[in-house]
Amino acid sequence: MKGKMRKVLAALITTYLMSNATITFAMPLTLSIDEAIDMALKNNYNIKIAEKDEAKAQAALKSAKSQQDPSVSANVSMGITDVNDNGFERSNNNNIRLSMPLYTGGKNELNIEKAKDSITASELALIRTKENTMLDTITAYYNVLEAEKIVAVDKETVDNYQEHLNDVKNLYQAGSTPKVDLLRSEVELVNAQQTLLKSQNSYDIAVSKLKNIIKFDSEDAIDLLDDVEYHAVEHNLLECIAYAKENRVDLKKYQVAIEQAQKDIDIAKGDKKPSVSLSVGTGWNKQILPDHANHSLTAAVEASWNLFDGNITAAKIKDAELSLEQAELEYYKQADAIDLEVREAYLNMQEAEKRFHTTKVAVSKAEEDYFIAKEKYKAGAGVILDIIDAQLALTTAKTNYIQAQYDYASYKATLDNVMGVSEEAE
């Protein structure tokens, strides 16, 4: 009776303590793939750097436009002169000048257009950076899911070996199996445990990489909500290549570079043309401020034309023409690289798709083979190597199936990226 009272009292005390204590549990971060992408797009440093490049291009445009605006300059000079040792003579000169270009041979206008092209190029670079960040996020997300499932397979393998070891121990104690089977079973269990430790470490690394991409600075666990779904690609390889060359924003950036190089040629040719500017100024001396009796007012239209400069302009034109040819070659080089990227992604995806379908069948067959080997050994009709071989085949089949699933999903995401399919990035 006293024992029952002590138990009741202990239960009451425990209930009281739990009701008055504050217990904090770290809840895992539940994360869908879209949420992960949003976090990466918001926090990724490469995107922030690309945004700064766009802001710099905007500032460069303002600077180019300001070359068309009037400019005002002021000059003040004050001095003291000793004239033949007869005393010092003070002097000061002051002037204010306003000037603005009227015609520059088209150079100012072309520089403004080039600055606008630079903004377009920076915008395209920002989009591509976002596209690549999205791919990195998707790949990292899938890598975590894959590593998690590999851990589950390795854990199942350890459990199977542990169950088999228990059976072998019972059979050994009953004298139905030799000690060598017991030793071999113990070794296989330890080996499976080592594999499990490695896969758990791979999972932790995969999680760390995902957290780094999305900039989640916390040691809290993450719980991924989405999983891969199989969707067949309907387009053939040539259609994918054609789509990529039409939609890859970085290829469009090379087109902008060609347009800028063409403008550089026209800017260099502008040095052969005259330039015209307007200036208005006023000046005075012998006093700090101007008065009606001592000041001058000038207005002028100035024109200049470089008739001969030792072929400097011709050299600039030639340099600009070579830069244009280089920009065109860079464009063709990038187009070839995109062609290869699409081919590699498409062929890798096809290969993973084939593995996905074949390994799915292999898993069910491996499970059946393992069950048969295990039951035969229990009945004394099999040998331990049958169990080990069947378990290895089962683990390999499940691992191959998981890898094929996520390889296909990752290669499909890569194919979308190299084709330039990313509406979210815009």
Side-chain angles (χ1 to χ4, degrees), residues 95-164:
N95 63 75
I96 298 176
R97 176 186 174 90
L98 180 148
S99 61
M100 65 177 296
L102 298 179
Y103 177 70
T104 61
K107 291 189 291 184
N108 282 356
E109 293 81 3
L110 288 168
N111 281 322
I112 292 173
E113 292 302 316
K114 274 191 63 183
K116 291 179 180 179
D117 290 340
S118 295
I119 292 176
T120 300
S122 64
E123 290 172 345
L124 294 172
L126 176 59
I127 292 173
R128 187 59 186 163
T129 302
K130 289 182 177 181
E131 290 175 350
N132 291 335
T133 301
M134 290 170 58
L135 176 62
D136 291 342
T137 307
I138 292 170
T139 302
Y141 194 97
Y142 287 160
N143 286 343
V144 172
L145 291 172
E146 179 181 357
E148 186 177 29
K149 290 191 176 181
I150 295 295
V151 168
V153 170
D154 291 339
K155 179 65 169 61
E156 182 184 65
T157 301
V158 169
D159 293 341
N160 288 344
Y161 275 124
Q162 183 64 62
E163 181 183 355
H164 171 65

Side-chain angles (χ1 to χ4, degrees), residues 7 29 41 61 115 124 148 152 156 164 181 186 207 213 253 272 279 298 353 376 378:
K7 290 180 180 179
L29 172 68
L41 293 178
L61 174 60
L124 294 172
E148 186 177 29
E156 182 184 65
H164 171 65
D181 284 8
E186 290 174 338
V207 171
I213 291 173
K253 183 181 175 183
K272 290 185 174 182
S279 64
T298 60
E353 186 177 25
K376 284 177 65 178
K378 287 181 180 180

Side-chain angles (χ1 to χ4, degrees), residues 27-258:
M27 297 297 293
L29 172 68
T30 57
L31 196 65
S32 69
I33 194 166
D34 288 336
E35 291 170 338
I37 290 172
D38 288 341
M39 292 179 67
L41 293 178
K42 180 180 179 181
N43 301 316
N44 189 269
Y45 291 126
N46 288 333
I47 292 176
K48 293 181 182 295
I49 292 171
E51 289 172 341
K52 296 300 180 183
D53 287 337
E54 185 178 4
K56 288 170 62 177
Q58 294 282 358
L61 174 60
K62 291 182 180 179
S63 176
K65 287 182 176 180
S66 66
Q67 298 299 316
Q68 296 283 74
D69 297 333
S71 61
V72 179
S73 62
N75 181 58
V76 177
S77 65
M78 302 181 68
I80 300 177
T81 304
D82 184 3
V83 182
N84 299 324
D85 296 327
N86 292 325
F88 293 97
E89 181 178 309
R90 293 180 177 84
S91 65
N92 69 65
N93 290 286
N94 311 275
N95 63 75
I96 298 176
R97 176 186 174 90
L98 180 148
S99 61
M100 65 177 296
L102 298 179
Y103 177 70
T104 61
K107 291 189 291 184
N108 282 356
E109 293 81 3
L110 288 168
N111 281 322
I112 292 173
E113 292 302 316
K114 274 191 63 183
K116 291 179 180 179
D117 290 340
S118 295
I119 292 176
T120 300
S122 64
E123 290 172 345
L124 294 172
L126 176 59
I127 292 173
R128 187 59 186 163
T129 302
K130 289 182 177 181
E131 290 175 350
N132 291 335
T133 301
M134 290 170 58
L135 176 62
D136 291 342
T137 307
I138 292 170
T139 302
Y141 194 97
Y142 287 160
N143 286 343
V144 172
L145 291 172
E146 179 181 357
E148 186 177 29
K149 290 191 176 181
I150 295 295
V151 168
V153 170
D154 291 339
K155 179 65 169 61
E156 182 184 65
T157 301
V158 169
D159 293 341
N160 288 344
Y161 275 124
Q162 183 64 62
E163 181 183 355
H164 171 65
L165 178 60
N166 294 337
D167 292 338
V168 173
K169 284 181 179 179
N170 293 333
L171 293 172
Y172 175 72
Q173 291 172 357
S176 302
T177 192
K179 187 175 183 179
V180 66
D181 284 8
L182 177 62
L183 296 175
R184 184 62 185 273
S185 299
E186 290 174 338
V187 170
E188 293 300 326
L189 175 60
V190 172
N191 289 341
Q193 289 170 337
Q194 300 307 304
T195 302
L196 175 59
L197 287 174
K198 291 180 179 179
S199 61
Q200 287 173 331
N201 183 62
S202 297
Y203 169 78
D204 292 337
I205 292 174
V207 171
S208 297
K209 288 182 177 179
L210 176 60
K211 286 183 176 181
N212 179 265
I213 291 173
I214 65 176
K215 302 305 173 192
F216 180 65
D217 299 327
S218 173
E219 295 301 318
D220 293 345
I222 56 175
D223 182 17
L224 305 186
L225 300 179
D226 296 326
D227 205 344
V228 296
E229 295 181 359
Y230 172 72
H231 297 288
V233 175
E234 298 178 356
H235 303 290
N236 61 39
L237 176 58
L238 295 180
E239 290 173 338
C240 292
I241 292 173
Y243 185 93
K245 291 186 176 181
E246 181 68 25
N247 292 278
R248 277 284 290 267
V249 293
D250 47 341
L251 191 59
K252 295 178 181 179
K253 183 181 175 183
Y254 281 90
Q255 291 175 329
V256 172
I258 291 174

